[in-house]
Amino acid sequence: MAPLPLGILALSGGGVAAAYELIQTHIFTGTSTAGVTFTNISQEYKHLQLRVTNSNSNPTYEAMVLKFNGDNSSVYNNHWLRGENQNVTTGWSGSQGTSGIVLDNAYAQYASAVIDITDYSNSNKNTSVQAITGANFRYSGILLQSGLYDSTTAVSSILCSPFLGSVTAGTRVSIYGIKG
């Protein structure tokens, strides 16, 4: 059975189910403060997609940080639109340095996230990230988020780590390549 086309790219007609190819899945077997790094990512795809599921019943903090190519410089920016109950909030944070791109709710209790990384191998453009996350924890609701890796270096590794605290056993992070 082919994976379902999910995320921003699927909504915009960015691919069909057959164009999604599972590259790797990591399932945490214990508590981790380091997260997982996907390395030696092939440059043969047009886009990448991360899918995160978490049934952690007691997370210490729910945000995920994405870092590309081990880059700890101040080249990351974030934007978000959060919907909770009848409230809507927006925000921006720039020049995150070692923080990378922070995606709230991606590691939250009973959370899921679909994260599209567009044009990751194109050395003529900066890499952008679009994410939709939902959870039932501190921020019960849904978030639409975007991030920018302000570098034209092709992405060959991605670190997915907890922003603060740790991730526990059962958290699953999968990376897909999207042909285009």
Side-chain angles (χ1 to χ4, degrees):
M1 181 173 167
L4 295 173
L6 300 173
I8 307 300
L9 296 174
L11 294 174
S12 65
V16 295
Y20 284 65
E21 188 172 296
L22 178 64
I23 298 171
Q24 186 179 355
T25 294
H26 179 81
I27 301 172
F28 290 89
T29 57
T31 300
S32 172
T33 56
V36 59
T37 301
F38 297 105
T39 59
N40 300 317
I41 298 171
S42 172
Q43 302 297 298
E44 70 181 281
Y45 305 105
K46 175 80 173 153
H47 310 292
L48 298 174
Q49 185 176 82
L50 293 169
R51 297 182 189 179
V52 181
T53 57
N54 186 4
S55 59
N56 182 4
S57 62
N58 189 22
T60 55
Y61 190 72
E62 70 274 3
M64 172 198 287
V65 176
L66 295 181
K67 286 187 192 178
F68 300 121
N69 301 331
D71 193 338
N72 291 325
S73 62
S74 298
V75 294
Y76 299 99
N77 293 280
N78 302 286
H79 293 87
W80 63 88
L81 170 67
R82 175 181 290 128
E84 301 175 79
N85 302 321
Q86 297 177 3
N87 301 316
V88 175
T89 58
T90 62
W92 170 84
S93 59
S95 299
Q96 293 296 302
T98 58
S99 294
I101 297 172
V102 179
L103 300 172
D104 273 345
N105 281 356
Y107 279 157
Q109 180 180 17
Y110 307 110
S112 61
V114 177
I115 304 156
D116 293 323
I117 304 166
T118 56
D119 295 321
Y120 75 101
S121 62
N122 187 335
S123 60
N124 295 313
K125 329 164 77 163
N126 296 323
T127 300
S128 64
V129 173
Q130 300 82 38
I132 184 167
T133 61
N136 184 20
F137 183 53
R138 191 176 72 156
Y139 296 123
S140 295
I142 190 168
L143 281 100
L144 300 174
Q145 301 170 86
S146 64
L148 170 68
Y149 176 49
D150 198 5
S151 171
T152 56
T153 303
V155 174
S156 61
S157 71
I158 302 171
L159 169 65
C160 307
S161 66
F163 183 62
L164 298 171
S166 60
V167 201
T168 59
T171 298
R172 175 188 194 109
V173 182
S174 298
I175 184 170
Y176 288 83
I178 303 171
K179 301 259 183 176

